[in-house]
Amino acid sequence: MRKKVVAGNWKMNLGFEEAEELIEELIDLLEKEDIKPDVIICPPYPYLEMASDYAQEARFKVGAQNICPFESGAYTGEVSASMLSSMEVTHCIIGHSERRKYFGEDDKMLTAKVNMALIHGITPIFCVGESLPERESEKHFEIVRRQVRHGLFHLDTNEFAKVIIAYEPVWAIGTGITASPAQAAEMHAYIRTLIVERYGEAPAEETIILYGGSCTSKNAAELFAQPGVDGGLVGGASLIADEFVAICKQA
Ligand code: PEP
């Protein structure tokens, strides 16, 4: 039985005090509610240690939004996997469309990031998803297939079992336009068929696949109820404590 997961991607938002306030609000709300999924918050790098300190006593885990593909050394501005794991960071978003688009992250780099995360015991939350023109020209399956294969299918079965996949159609991210439940279910099922072909039925059944893209407390229940949708990767709505917790409650 797959675990449900809801992860919050804070992106490059909030000052330090605002971040701490949000964490404190989340702790209060998560304590009061009967929350079933694993909850992960992914604040910006400078707040990770603070978030991890809180997480020791809280109902959430902490993820990073990025990771360096190299082990250590002369890589100015980068943060290594070992630094993240030394701060008890358990997860890392890899392959987010904003990093692919604004920072030129290609399949080769993403493969290296996935490897580095796994070496250091960090669970990759590997994002895939097509752009609007790609969907309109009916290339969405082809695009997602390429992203999943190139980013993850070099892993052996044991390594692959440690990965979470997030299907995030680029046209739904931060736009207020959500994939329909049927579109989400269709792509999640497709990704699972790819996993069956590469790793077999059992690993495909075990793989956690999240939906991301304008997820809110209004649409989460229907999305999360779709077969094969194991929770969500939430951007904007994860910056509002009661909204994020309301989403978590629906997983
Ligand atoms: C995201 O950035 O991963 C995301 C899903 O954003 P939003 O929920 O704001 O669309």
Side-chain angles (χ1 to χ4, degrees), residues 178-251:
T178 316
S180 70
Q183 285 171 322
E186 184 184 39
M187 187 57 86
H188 283 230
Y190 177 67
I191 293 170
R192 236 176 267 286
T193 64
L194 298 175
I195 303 170
V196 171
E197 283 165 20
R198 168 67 180 88
Y199 296 100
E201 291 284 348
E205 254 319 292
E206 292 299 310
T207 304
I208 294 171
I209 309 179
L210 309 181
Y211 167 79
S214 297
C215 213
T216 67
S217 60
K218 305 241 167 356
N219 57 34
E222 208 184 347
L223 285 161
F224 297 170
Q226 297 307 304
V229 177
D230 304 313
L233 177 54
V234 183
S238 70
L239 296 169
I240 306 159
D242 49 6
E243 176 68 5
F244 184 60
V245 172
I247 293 171
C248 293
K249 274 169 73 176
Q250 297 177 42

Side-chain angles (χ1 to χ4, degrees), residues 102-167:
Y102 299 120
F103 302 94
E105 296 194 358
D106 59 9
D107 291 330
K108 192 165 164 241
M109 174 171 286
L110 297 176
T111 303
K113 289 186 177 210
V114 166
N115 293 345
M116 199 52 77
L118 289 172
I119 288 168
H120 290 274
I122 294 171
T123 302
I125 302 176
F126 189 78
C127 303
V128 297
E130 79 287 355
S131 66
L132 189 57
E134 286 161 350
R135 177 158 282 263
E136 284 172 347
S137 55
E138 300 194 354
K139 292 210 174 83
H140 44 298
F141 292 121
E142 180 188 324
I143 296 297
V144 168
R145 180 170 67 233
R146 201 211 71 225
Q147 292 171 335
V148 171
R149 283 191 177 152
H150 288 214
L152 298 175
F153 281 4
H154 62 287
L155 300 172
D156 68 25
T157 307
N158 288 338
E159 291 164 337
F160 183 78
K162 296 178 184 141
V163 173
I164 293 174
I165 296 175
Y167 170 55

Side-chain angles (χ1 to χ4, degrees), residues 9 11 96 98 127 168 172-176 212-215 233-237:
N9 175 11
K11 313 196 189 194
H96 192 282
E98 289 154 14
C127 303
E168 298 207 303
I173 296 181
T175 58
S214 297
C215 213
L233 177 54
V234 183

Side-chain angles (χ1 to χ4, degrees), residues 45-46 48 64-84 87 92-94 99 103-105 109-110 112-113 116:
Y45 277 152
L48 286 176
Q65 298 172 23
N66 189 20
I67 197 164
C68 181
F70 305 108
E71 186 67 61
S72 68
Y75 300 103
T76 303
E78 288 294 292
V79 175
S80 72
S82 67
M83 292 172 189
L84 296 176
M87 290 187 290
C92 183
I93 299 169
I94 296 177
R99 295 222 50 97
F103 302 94
E105 296 194 358
M109 174 171 286
L110 297 176
K113 289 186 177 210
M116 199 52 77

